[in-house]
Amino acid sequence: MLEHQKFVLEAVADQESLFRKELIKSMNWLDENDQEKLINWLKNRFNNRLDVIDEIINTSLVPLS
């Protein structure tokens, strides 16, 4: 599931609203271990979207396990 979500996020990275939507879905679907892996990957891969990434992982939209 993690690899699939990475693929999806790469595909929508240029569209902020879709990126945000898919990131929320990804975080809700993944277990805690995969969430951490995804967050690290995102921060390394999408430094132009750090504001969105931080917003999503630091809000109540995503219940971190």
Side-chain angles (χ1 to χ4, degrees):
M1 179 64 97
L2 176 59
E3 292 306 314
H4 172 74
Q5 293 313 114
K6 287 180 179 181
F7 176 80
V8 170
L9 288 163
E10 288 232 13
V12 298
D14 60 334
Q15 301 170 46
E16 185 175 332
S17 63
L18 283 176
F19 184 81
R20 176 180 274 112
K21 182 179 178 181
E22 292 300 329
L23 178 53
I24 292 169
K25 281 192 223 176
S26 297
M27 294 299 289
N28 283 316
W29 288 342
L30 297 173
D31 64 28
E32 186 176 356
N33 185 43
D34 283 345
Q35 287 176 355
E36 290 297 323
K37 290 177 185 175
L38 182 64
I39 290 167
N40 290 332
W41 176 80
L42 287 165
K43 288 184 175 182
N44 287 318
R45 177 70 178 86
F46 298 108
N47 58 4
N48 63 325
R49 293 275 183 235
L50 289 177
D51 57 334
V52 175
I53 295 164
D54 287 338
E55 174 191 343
I56 300 306
I57 64 174
N58 292 317
T59 66
S60 60
L61 295 173
V62 177
L64 291 175
S65 303

